[in-house]
Amino acid sequence: MINFNEGRIGFEAIGNTYPPAENVTRENVTIAGIPCAWFIPTDVNTADIAVFIHGGAFIFGSINSHAPMVSYIAQALNRKVLVIDYRLAPEHPFPAGIDDCVAVIQQLDQPFGIIGDSAGGNLTMATQLKLKAVNGPAPLYSIVISPWVDLTCSNESYIRNKIADTLLSREYLMEAANAYAAGQELSAPLLSPVNAVFNDLAPVLIMCGTNEILEDDSVHLHKQLIQSGVNATLELFEGELHVWPFMNIHTKASRKALSNMAHFVTEQTNK
C-alpha cells in the first residue's frame, strides 16, 4: 500500500538531488486560485511561454519537487516556464488535476506550449482535449517526457522491461491509477489519452527511455497521434529510465533531451 504522506516527502527529495540552474529565478504566483510558479531565465525576451505540468503518478509531486528540472528546461528553452501546482489524488481525484490546468491556461494572455512528464504527460494530453471541448486556447506545441497515458497498465513493456526498470512497478502504478480514477473507467480517453482522437492538435514531441515499463505508452501514443493526423515525433533514449532528467540533469542523455526540446520549441514557435 502506498503511504501518501511519506511518499510525497520522499518524492520531493528525489527531485532536489541537484541544485536549480543558475541565472533562472522563481516567482510564486496564484492564477485562477491555483498556486503556480514562474521560472524566468535572465534576459528572456520571447513572446511565447511554456506551461509545465509535473509528474508524480497523480499522487505525488509539486512545484518544489520539479523546480530544479524545470529551471534547466527554462534555461534551455530561454523561455518563461509556468509550473501548475494542481490538486493531487486521492484527496482530489479525477478530474481535479485537469480542471486546475485548464483553469490556469484559460487565464494566460500570450502564446504557449505545454510540457509534462510522466503523469504530467497524461495531463498535458488530457488538458488539450478538455481545452478543445470548452473552446479554450490551443497550445503551439506539446512535449511529453515518459508519459503515462494508459492507466490500464496492460502494455507488453510492463513484461518486457520489468527487470530493466528499477524505478517503477505495475503494482505501484495500478494503485496510483485507481486512487486517481476513483472508480471511473481507466480506459476512458480523459484518463488514458492514448485512447483519444486528437484532431487538429499542435505538433507533439514524445521522449521516453527504452528501459521503462512505460515504453509502450509512448510508442502507442505516437501511433495514435499519427493516425489522428497530428505531427508527432517519438524519440527513444536507449537504456534510459523513467524521466531520466528528473534524476540527474547532467548526464549525456539529459543534456540531449534538453537540446532536443529546445530545437523542437524553436521550430514550432518560428513558423
PDB file of all heavy atoms in Angstrom, residues 98-118:
ATOM      1  N   ILE A  98      -6.976  17.958 -14.115  1.00  0.00           N
ATOM      2  CA  ILE A  98      -7.258  18.509 -15.445  1.00  0.00           C
ATOM      3  C   ILE A  98      -7.963  19.858 -15.313  1.00  0.00           C
ATOM      4  O   ILE A  98      -7.605  20.831 -15.996  1.00  0.00           O
ATOM      5  CB  ILE A  98      -8.132  17.544 -16.257  1.00  0.00           C
ATOM      6  CG1 ILE A  98      -7.411  16.209 -16.461  1.00  0.00           C
ATOM      7  CG2 ILE A  98      -8.511  18.154 -17.613  1.00  0.00           C
ATOM      8  CD1 ILE A  98      -8.280  15.120 -17.081  1.00  0.00           C
ATOM      9  N   ASP A  99      -8.949  19.921 -14.446  1.00  0.00           N
ATOM     10  CA  ASP A  99      -9.698  21.172 -14.264  1.00  0.00           C
ATOM     11  C   ASP A  99      -8.781  22.314 -13.836  1.00  0.00           C
ATOM     12  O   ASP A  99      -8.929  23.455 -14.303  1.00  0.00           O
ATOM     13  CB  ASP A  99     -10.796  20.979 -13.223  1.00  0.00           C
ATOM     14  CG  ASP A  99     -11.921  20.082 -13.713  1.00  0.00           C
ATOM     15  OD1 ASP A  99     -12.016  19.858 -14.943  1.00  0.00           O
ATOM     16  OD2 ASP A  99     -12.705  19.606 -12.873  1.00  0.00           O
ATOM     17  N   ASP A 100      -7.816  22.019 -12.948  1.00  0.00           N
ATOM     18  CA  ASP A 100      -6.888  23.057 -12.496  1.00  0.00           C
ATOM     19  C   ASP A 100      -6.015  23.544 -13.647  1.00  0.00           C
ATOM     20  O   ASP A 100      -5.802  24.754 -13.809  1.00  0.00           O
ATOM     21  CB  ASP A 100      -5.998  22.523 -11.368  1.00  0.00           C
ATOM     22  CG  ASP A 100      -6.756  22.339 -10.065  1.00  0.00           C
ATOM     23  OD1 ASP A 100      -7.927  22.752  -9.990  1.00  0.00           O
ATOM     24  OD2 ASP A 100      -6.161  21.783  -9.123  1.00  0.00           O
ATOM     25  N   CYS A 101      -5.509  22.616 -14.439  1.00  0.00           N
ATOM     26  CA  CYS A 101      -4.648  23.006 -15.563  1.00  0.00           C
ATOM     27  C   CYS A 101      -5.420  23.830 -16.587  1.00  0.00           C
ATOM     28  O   CYS A 101      -4.918  24.843 -17.101  1.00  0.00           O
ATOM     29  CB  CYS A 101      -4.047  21.762 -16.214  1.00  0.00           C
ATOM     30  SG  CYS A 101      -2.880  20.875 -15.155  1.00  0.00           S
ATOM     31  N   VAL A 102      -6.634  23.424 -16.876  1.00  0.00           N
ATOM     32  CA  VAL A 102      -7.471  24.172 -17.825  1.00  0.00           C
ATOM     33  C   VAL A 102      -7.764  25.569 -17.286  1.00  0.00           C
ATOM     34  O   VAL A 102      -7.677  26.574 -18.020  1.00  0.00           O
ATOM     35  CB  VAL A 102      -8.781  23.406 -18.103  1.00  0.00           C
ATOM     36  CG1 VAL A 102      -9.778  24.292 -18.845  1.00  0.00           C
ATOM     37  CG2 VAL A 102      -8.492  22.148 -18.908  1.00  0.00           C
ATOM     38  N   ALA A 103      -8.079  25.663 -16.002  1.00  0.00           N
ATOM     39  CA  ALA A 103      -8.416  26.964 -15.411  1.00  0.00           C
ATOM     40  C   ALA A 103      -7.245  27.928 -15.496  1.00  0.00           C
ATOM     41  O   ALA A 103      -7.415  29.117 -15.818  1.00  0.00           O
ATOM     42  CB  ALA A 103      -8.839  26.777 -13.953  1.00  0.00           C
ATOM     43  N   VAL A 104      -6.047  27.438 -15.222  1.00  0.00           N
ATOM     44  CA  VAL A 104      -4.861  28.303 -15.292  1.00  0.00           C
ATOM     45  C   VAL A 104      -4.603  28.739 -16.728  1.00  0.00           C
ATOM     46  O   VAL A 104      -4.390  29.927 -17.013  1.00  0.00           O
ATOM     47  CB  VAL A 104      -3.629  27.575 -14.719  1.00  0.00           C
ATOM     48  CG1 VAL A 104      -2.353  28.368 -15.016  1.00  0.00           C
ATOM     49  CG2 VAL A 104      -3.777  27.380 -13.224  1.00  0.00           C
ATOM     50  N   ILE A 105      -4.611  27.783 -17.643  1.00  0.00           N
ATOM     51  CA  ILE A 105      -4.294  28.096 -19.043  1.00  0.00           C
ATOM     52  C   ILE A 105      -5.301  29.077 -19.632  1.00  0.00           C
ATOM     53  O   ILE A 105      -4.933  29.955 -20.432  1.00  0.00           O
ATOM     54  CB  ILE A 105      -4.217  26.794 -19.860  1.00  0.00           C
ATOM     55  CG1 ILE A 105      -2.955  26.019 -19.467  1.00  0.00           C
ATOM     56  CG2 ILE A 105      -4.225  27.084 -21.363  1.00  0.00           C
ATOM     57  CD1 ILE A 105      -2.871  24.634 -20.048  1.00  0.00           C
ATOM     58  N   GLN A 106      -6.542  28.979 -19.226  1.00  0.00           N
ATOM     59  CA  GLN A 106      -7.547  29.906 -19.744  1.00  0.00           C
ATOM     60  C   GLN A 106      -7.288  31.350 -19.314  1.00  0.00           C
ATOM     61  O   GLN A 106      -7.828  32.276 -19.911  1.00  0.00           O
ATOM     62  CB  GLN A 106      -8.947  29.468 -19.301  1.00  0.00           C
ATOM     63  CG  GLN A 106      -9.471  28.255 -20.050  1.00  0.00           C
ATOM     64  CD  GLN A 106     -10.858  27.852 -19.597  1.00  0.00           C
ATOM     65  OE1 GLN A 106     -11.139  27.757 -18.408  1.00  0.00           O
ATOM     66  NE2 GLN A 106     -11.740  27.607 -20.554  1.00  0.00           N
ATOM     67  N   GLN A 107      -6.464  31.545 -18.298  1.00  0.00           N
ATOM     68  CA  GLN A 107      -6.144  32.890 -17.836  1.00  0.00           C
ATOM     69  C   GLN A 107      -4.915  33.484 -18.519  1.00  0.00           C
ATOM     70  O   GLN A 107      -4.614  34.671 -18.331  1.00  0.00           O
ATOM     71  CB  GLN A 107      -5.905  32.873 -16.313  1.00  0.00           C
ATOM     72  CG  GLN A 107      -7.125  32.490 -15.493  1.00  0.00           C
ATOM     73  CD  GLN A 107      -8.258  33.476 -15.653  1.00  0.00           C
ATOM     74  OE1 GLN A 107      -8.071  34.682 -15.541  1.00  0.00           O
ATOM     75  NE2 GLN A 107      -9.450  32.957 -15.920  1.00  0.00           N
ATOM     76  N   LEU A 108      -4.198  32.684 -19.283  1.00  0.00           N
ATOM     77  CA  LEU A 108      -2.981  33.174 -19.926  1.00  0.00           C
ATOM     78  C   LEU A 108      -3.335  34.079 -21.101  1.00  0.00           C
ATOM     79  O   LEU A 108      -4.322  33.870 -21.803  1.00  0.00           O
ATOM     80  CB  LEU A 108      -2.128  32.001 -20.410  1.00  0.00           C
ATOM     81  CG  LEU A 108      -1.678  31.020 -19.322  1.00  0.00           C
ATOM     82  CD1 LEU A 108      -0.875  29.882 -19.942  1.00  0.00           C
ATOM     83  CD2 LEU A 108      -0.882  31.732 -18.245  1.00  0.00           C
ATOM     84  N   ASP A 109      -2.495  35.076 -21.323  1.00  0.00           N
ATOM     85  CA  ASP A 109      -2.781  36.041 -22.389  1.00  0.00           C
ATOM     86  C   ASP A 109      -1.643  36.126 -23.400  1.00  0.00           C
ATOM     87  O   ASP A 109      -1.444  37.169 -24.041  1.00  0.00           O
ATOM     88  CB  ASP A 109      -3.055  37.427 -21.787  1.00  0.00           C
ATOM     89  CG  ASP A 109      -1.883  37.944 -20.979  1.00  0.00           C
ATOM     90  OD1 ASP A 109      -0.882  37.217 -20.851  1.00  0.00           O
ATOM     91  OD2 ASP A 109      -1.972  39.083 -20.476  1.00  0.00           O
ATOM     92  N   GLN A 110      -0.896  35.031 -23.553  1.00  0.00           N
ATOM     93  CA  GLN A 110       0.177  35.013 -24.537  1.00  0.00           C
ATOM     94  C   GLN A 110       0.324  33.604 -25.097  1.00  0.00           C
ATOM     95  O   GLN A 110      -0.156  32.636 -24.506  1.00  0.00           O
ATOM     96  CB  GLN A 110       1.494  35.484 -23.910  1.00  0.00           C
ATOM     97  CG  GLN A 110       1.911  34.722 -22.671  1.00  0.00           C
ATOM     98  CD  GLN A 110       2.926  35.497 -21.856  1.00  0.00           C
ATOM     99  OE1 GLN A 110       2.704  35.781 -20.686  1.00  0.00           O
ATOM    100  NE2 GLN A 110       4.044  35.830 -22.452  1.00  0.00           N
ATOM    101  N   PRO A 111       0.962  33.477 -26.256  1.00  0.00           N
ATOM    102  CA  PRO A 111       1.126  32.147 -26.858  1.00  0.00           C
ATOM    103  C   PRO A 111       1.896  31.218 -25.922  1.00  0.00           C
ATOM    104  O   PRO A 111       2.791  31.644 -25.193  1.00  0.00           O
ATOM    105  CB  PRO A 111       1.925  32.437 -28.135  1.00  0.00           C
ATOM    106  CG  PRO A 111       1.729  33.901 -28.397  1.00  0.00           C
ATOM    107  CD  PRO A 111       1.577  34.545 -27.064  1.00  0.00           C
ATOM    108  N   PHE A 112       1.564  29.933 -25.973  1.00  0.00           N
ATOM    109  CA  PHE A 112       2.167  28.996 -25.029  1.00  0.00           C
ATOM    110  C   PHE A 112       2.295  27.610 -25.642  1.00  0.00           C
ATOM    111  O   PHE A 112       1.587  27.239 -26.573  1.00  0.00           O
ATOM    112  CB  PHE A 112       1.313  28.905 -23.757  1.00  0.00           C
ATOM    113  CG  PHE A 112      -0.044  28.282 -23.966  1.00  0.00           C
ATOM    114  CD1 PHE A 112      -0.261  26.933 -23.718  1.00  0.00           C
ATOM    115  CD2 PHE A 112      -1.112  29.036 -24.449  1.00  0.00           C
ATOM    116  CE1 PHE A 112      -1.498  26.352 -23.935  1.00  0.00           C
ATOM    117  CE2 PHE A 112      -2.358  28.472 -24.672  1.00  0.00           C
ATOM    118  CZ  PHE A 112      -2.552  27.116 -24.414  1.00  0.00           C
ATOM    119  N   GLY A 113       3.220  26.845 -25.077  1.00  0.00           N
ATOM    120  CA  GLY A 113       3.301  25.417 -25.305  1.00  0.00           C
ATOM    121  C   GLY A 113       3.091  24.714 -23.979  1.00  0.00           C
ATOM    122  O   GLY A 113       3.117  25.351 -22.922  1.00  0.00           O
ATOM    123  N   ILE A 114       2.890  23.400 -24.005  1.00  0.00           N
ATOM    124  CA  ILE A 114       2.699  22.633 -22.783  1.00  0.00           C
ATOM    125  C   ILE A 114       3.724  21.504 -22.731  1.00  0.00           C
ATOM    126  O   ILE A 114       3.929  20.798 -23.731  1.00  0.00           O
ATOM    127  CB  ILE A 114       1.286  22.025 -22.691  1.00  0.00           C
ATOM    128  CG1 ILE A 114       0.201  23.071 -22.948  1.00  0.00           C
ATOM    129  CG2 ILE A 114       1.081  21.387 -21.316  1.00  0.00           C
ATOM    130  CD1 ILE A 114      -1.217  22.528 -22.873  1.00  0.00           C
ATOM    131  N   ILE A 115       4.353  21.355 -21.575  1.00  0.00           N
ATOM    132  CA  ILE A 115       5.333  20.300 -21.353  1.00  0.00           C
ATOM    133  C   ILE A 115       4.913  19.538 -20.104  1.00  0.00           C
ATOM    134  O   ILE A 115       4.488  20.136 -19.115  1.00  0.00           O
ATOM    135  CB  ILE A 115       6.745  20.880 -21.153  1.00  0.00           C
ATOM    136  CG1 ILE A 115       7.131  21.778 -22.337  1.00  0.00           C
ATOM    137  CG2 ILE A 115       7.777  19.768 -20.969  1.00  0.00           C
ATOM    138  CD1 ILE A 115       8.412  22.565 -22.119  1.00  0.00           C
ATOM    139  N   GLY A 116       5.026  18.204 -20.132  1.00  0.00           N
ATOM    140  CA  GLY A 116       4.682  17.421 -18.957  1.00  0.00           C
ATOM    141  C   GLY A 116       5.501  16.148 -18.889  1.00  0.00           C
ATOM    142  O   GLY A 116       5.898  15.597 -19.919  1.00  0.00           O
ATOM    143  N   ASP A 117       5.761  15.680 -17.672  1.00  0.00           N
ATOM    144  CA  ASP A 117       6.486  14.423 -17.507  1.00  0.00           C
ATOM    145  C   ASP A 117       5.610  13.417 -16.773  1.00  0.00           C
ATOM    146  O   ASP A 117       4.865  13.763 -15.858  1.00  0.00           O
ATOM    147  CB  ASP A 117       7.797  14.646 -16.733  1.00  0.00           C
ATOM    148  CG  ASP A 117       7.572  14.951 -15.258  1.00  0.00           C
ATOM    149  OD1 ASP A 117       6.976  16.004 -14.952  1.00  0.00           O
ATOM    150  OD2 ASP A 117       7.979  14.144 -14.409  1.00  0.00           O
ATOM    151  N   SER A 118       5.689  12.154 -17.206  1.00  0.00           N
ATOM    152  CA  SER A 118       5.004  11.040 -16.552  1.00  0.00           C
ATOM    153  C   SER A 118       3.493  11.293 -16.466  1.00  0.00           C
ATOM    154  O   SER A 118       2.833  11.491 -17.483  1.00  0.00           O
ATOM    155  CB  SER A 118       5.623  10.790 -15.177  1.00  0.00           C
ATOM    156  OG  SER A 118       5.176   9.578 -14.620  1.00  0.00           O
TER     157      SER A 118
END
